[in-house]
Amino acid sequence: MKRQQFKKIYASSFVDWWNRIVNDKGILAGMKHCTLPEKILFEPGFVLLCNFYLKDMDKNVMENAHYIAGLLAQVKNEKNDKLFAEQLAQRRKDGSNDLLISEVRFRRLMGCKNLKELYPFMRRIIAQLNNELNIQSFCEDLLVWQYPEWTRKKWALKYYTNTID
């Protein structure tokens, strides 16, 4: 399966799952309070994801699914006007012209080697984005995070291209 197909197919499963649980306050509450991603493995929302949306999935997807699910539980609204990488380069709305995600934070994010390292940074970033993001784009990128030449290169190009005044 080609990389683009892989990303779109598996990311769509996460998007469908998120659409199903986004209004279920009980499921979301349990997952939101899991500061350690390993605790997500025991949440009913994650069980639902595995049993109905990720059956017969790639081993790599299954090994990282709880990180993506835990991060998606933080999202309140889907915002599809920009790719997730472009959303990282948004300016504050207070008129200060400062970036919502500073270059220092962005560089730390880019230094994460796997989803376990990325998880705490991404929880903060999702909050900074008002818990609104392009879920499809976000999932596609996280699914291939371990291949830096794919995701990190794209994020850097989108971030720095969109931060130029």
Side-chain angles (χ1 to χ4, degrees), residues 99-139:
L99 292 168
L100 215 56
I101 310 302
S102 71
E103 185 176 355
V104 171
R105 181 158 287 173
F106 180 74
R107 285 178 183 260
R108 277 194 219 132
L109 182 72
M110 297 296 283
C112 296
K113 293 176 182 62
N114 53 49
L115 293 183
K116 183 175 184 169
E117 287 180 24
L118 186 75
Y119 189 82
F121 287 105
M122 199 55 75
R123 279 180 58 107
R124 281 184 237 118
I125 286 173
I126 291 170
Q128 286 180 286
L129 295 173
N130 289 331
N131 301 84
E132 298 178 330
L133 52 93
N134 183 325
I135 296 172
Q136 180 75 29
S137 171
F138 178 74
C139 291

Side-chain angles (χ1 to χ4, degrees), residues 4 30 32 41 43 49 55 80 99 101 112 129 134 147:
Q4 285 300 97
K32 281 181 185 178
L41 295 167
E43 290 295 321
L49 173 66
K55 276 190 168 182
N80 293 326
L99 292 168
I101 310 302
C112 296
L129 295 173
N134 183 325
Y147 305 110

Side-chain angles (χ1 to χ4, degrees), residues 7-8 79-90 129 132-138 140-141 154-155 158-159 162:
K7 287 178 9 175
K8 289 202 182 306
K79 189 174 181 184
N80 293 326
D81 60 334
K82 296 177 183 176
L83 294 174
F84 178 70
E86 294 168 331
Q87 290 173 319
L88 293 171
Q90 293 180 94
L129 295 173
E132 298 178 330
L133 52 93
N134 183 325
I135 296 172
Q136 180 75 29
S137 171
F138 178 74
E140 286 178 13
D141 290 346
K154 177 179 116 181
W155 282 21
K158 295 289 182 188
Y159 181 83
N162 286 292

